Amino acid sequence: MKKIGKKINYLPLTICLIIGIVISYLMYLVSRQVFISVLFGIIGLIVSILIYSLNLSNSYNYWQIDDREIQYNNYDTTAQKVQAIILPLATNRRTLKFSEISSIALVIGKGMEMPAGIGSEGAIDASAYVVDSALQHFYSPYYLMLKLKDGRKVDLDLSKNKTDKANVERLIKEIELKTNLKAKLVKQSL
């Protein structure tokens, strides 16, 4: 069994709880009213969970492949992402049989380029390090796109394994053998 990506754990929930507690404490310092501080703490917790859910599939997109099928975490809706943050051990796993796949494509994104005027030759030289390090955290698509015979599309993230090209190549060859399909290379421009 081959495993790709990173499983969701309790770290997102812990971060959101800390944010809610900090907001609650700060509101108590400002207002000296327990009800208002608890209310703002709960609102801060809910908002931080929703914000964290926007990037959940990029950070925690775990899937595995064995001889018969592909199993992956289903993060199609916001409700499923929020449920995964609150109850990480009860994630919604889906199973995909190799016979259900109609086409395979490896999607590679170009990533973000640094804006003009920033860097050693630009006008904003002092902030080049900060902007460049921030741009590195944007999601660069690198995934396996599977189109199914029933018309659905499943994207299996490979970004956590983008430096291990030999392993990704072996994985794609294995899926090609089990499906009798040839994978296409798709380069996306962002």
Side-chain angles (χ1 to χ4, degrees):
M1 179 176 294
K2 293 188 173 87
K3 300 174 182 182
I4 307 291
K6 184 177 177 184
K7 279 187 178 181
I8 188 155
N9 51 31
Y10 284 100
L11 183 63
L13 180 61
T14 304
I15 291 171
C16 294
L17 284 171
I18 290 170
I19 290 170
I21 290 170
V22 168
I23 290 172
S24 179
Y25 180 70
L26 291 175
M27 288 308 297
Y28 180 75
L29 289 178
V30 170
S31 69
R32 295 286 182 199
Q33 293 185 5
V34 175
F35 176 74
I36 291 176
S37 69
V38 169
L39 179 68
F40 275 90
I42 291 171
I43 291 171
L45 174 68
I46 293 169
V47 169
S48 62
I49 288 174
L50 290 174
I51 290 172
Y52 210 109
S53 73
L54 295 174
N55 197 33
L56 185 71
S57 56
N58 297 339
S59 302
Y60 297 98
N61 203 345
Y62 174 79
W63 57 284
Q64 60 190 26
I65 181 173
D66 62 16
D67 292 334
R68 295 173 286 130
E69 60 195 13
I70 298 172
Q71 295 178 0
Y72 63 98
N73 291 337
N74 186 19
Y75 298 138
D76 289 341
T77 66
T78 304
Q80 290 167 336
K81 292 176 184 178
V82 169
Q83 178 188 0
I85 292 171
I86 295 172
L87 302 168
L89 297 178
T91 57
N92 188 4
R93 307 239 344 129
R94 286 218 173 146
T95 302
L96 178 65
K97 303 283 185 203
F98 290 114
S99 60
E100 298 177 50
I101 301 172
S102 65
S103 73
I104 308 165
L106 177 64
V107 180
I108 300 173
K110 288 174 69 175
M112 296 190 71
E113 296 177 5
M114 190 174 289
I118 297 177
S120 57
E121 67 282 344
I124 313 173
D125 185 36
S127 64
Y129 174 75
V130 175
V131 173
D132 186 47
S133 63
L135 286 175
Q136 290 175 6
H137 293 288
F138 282 99
Y139 177 62
S140 176
Y142 185 56
Y143 58 93
L144 200 58
M145 181 174 58
L146 305 175
K147 290 187 181 176
L148 307 181
K149 292 178 181 173
D150 65 1
R152 290 184 298 139
K153 183 183 78 152
V154 175
D155 296 333
L156 301 174
D157 188 43
L158 293 168
S159 59
K160 296 287 182 204
N161 300 77
K162 65 184 170 188
T163 57
D164 189 7
K165 293 179 183 172
N167 189 31
V168 170
E169 190 175 313
R170 279 192 302 271
L171 179 74
I172 292 172
K173 286 186 189 285
E174 186 174 334
I175 293 174
E176 285 178 337
L177 284 173
K178 293 184 191 296
T179 59
N180 293 323
L181 297 169
K182 186 75 176 155
K184 300 174 199 162
L185 179 64
V186 177
K187 291 187 179 183
Q188 270 187 346
S189 59
L190 297 175

